[in-house]
Amino acid sequence: MTETTTDSVDVVLPCLDEAEALPWVLDRIPSGWRAIVVDNGSTDGSADIARSRGAHVLHEPRRGFGAACHAGLTAATADIVCFCDCDASLDPRLLPRVAGPVLDGSADLVLGRRRPTAIGAWPPHARLANLELARLVRRRTGLPLRDLGPMRAARREALLALGLTDRRSGYPLQMVVRAADAGWRVHETDVPYHPRTGRSKVTGTWLGTWRAVRDMRAVLAEPRPTGSTAVVPGTAR
């Protein structure tokens, strides 16, 4: 563990066969913050590795990135919840940078805007898909976002109040769209993006990317709410 902090934060790490990357990731969780590894059906011993390194381990039998993320959110108890991939593409030591504006009250949701550190960090087809989705999100929400980064932070109760329903690849996007509809202050901050350890289950192939885009387009097609029932952080606590 690194970087001592007095703030209590839960870090949700959705996991599917990430045994090779997990030690590196868990060793970089900020000191005093709790790692919640949500095993989504791993067969490589990921859960045992996470448990041996002090992480709180959950088993989510329903496959899907959103299913794993939401299981972690539901199990979280800290006021602030961060999300981070556990494939070593993002350094958890940067989580305080992402969570900082939420902790000090200047933002309600902060996304880590990925900045590739090497040519192979972000496959061209995945990067193009992300650029197109970011354009659609800007048009749908008015938010000046350039990335739908998986490293993010927000308050737990407010996230639960968004009523997120997607349990596949559309979950991160649905979080942003519903947060925007609820009037949240959504910010971006740059984070380095490294080549992941192992092969991606989503963006590692054209088919996986297409499925993710399909899920996200379905989220963008959801009707706008006629009346806001979601919690704006800081107004109903």
Side-chain angles (χ1 to χ4, degrees), residues 83 108-112 130 133-134 136-138 140-154 159 162 164 166 169-188 216 219-220 222:
F83 296 84
D108 302 316
L109 173 64
V110 179
L111 311 177
N130 184 74
L133 284 167
L136 294 173
V137 170
R138 291 195 298 274
R140 166 65 174 77
T141 67
L143 297 172
L145 300 179
R146 292 290 182 268
D147 186 20
L148 300 175
M151 181 179 277
R152 50 185 61 191
L159 282 172
L162 290 178
L164 302 175
D166 192 283
S169 299
Y171 186 87
L173 174 60
Q174 189 178 60
M175 183 187 296
V176 172
V177 170
R178 293 196 177 183
D181 287 344
W184 289 24
R185 296 163 298 168
V186 182
H187 296 177
E188 280 185 323
M216 293 182 183
V219 170
L220 289 170
E222 292 179 356

Side-chain angles (χ1 to χ4, degrees), residues 7-122:
D7 296 303
S8 177
V9 179
D10 283 338
V11 182
V12 176
L13 299 158
C15 177
L16 177 58
D17 292 331
E18 301 291 2
E20 188 178 353
L22 269 172
W24 186 92
V25 171
L26 292 174
D27 285 351
R28 285 163 173 74
I29 298 295
S31 180
W33 294 20
R34 182 174 66 148
I36 302 177
V37 173
V38 185
D39 186 76
N40 203 207
S42 298
T43 59
D44 65 351
S46 289
D48 291 336
I49 292 172
R51 195 175 292 108
S52 72
R53 300 187 96 84
H56 178 67
V57 178
L58 301 176
H59 294 277
E60 173 51 57
R62 181 177 177 181
R63 284 292 184 95
F65 182 77
C69 287
H70 202 71
L73 173 62
T74 302
T77 57
D79 183 36
I80 306 295
V81 176
C82 294
F83 296 84
C84 184
D85 285 349
C86 59
D87 57 10
S89 62
L90 295 163
D91 190 341
R93 290 180 300 185
L94 299 176
L95 284 169
R97 178 194 301 179
V98 176
V102 180
L103 286 162
D104 68 22
S106 61
D108 302 316
L109 173 64
V110 179
L111 311 177
R113 181 187 179 188
R114 291 168 288 184
R115 309 297 282 179
T117 61
I119 294 176
W122 208 341

Side-chain angles (χ1 to χ4, degrees), residues 185-203:
R185 296 163 298 168
V186 182
H187 296 177
E188 280 185 323
T189 186
D190 288 353
V191 293
Y193 191 49
H194 308 284
R196 63 158 289 144
T197 298
R199 186 177 184 183
S200 172
K201 290 80 178 173
V202 177
T203 60

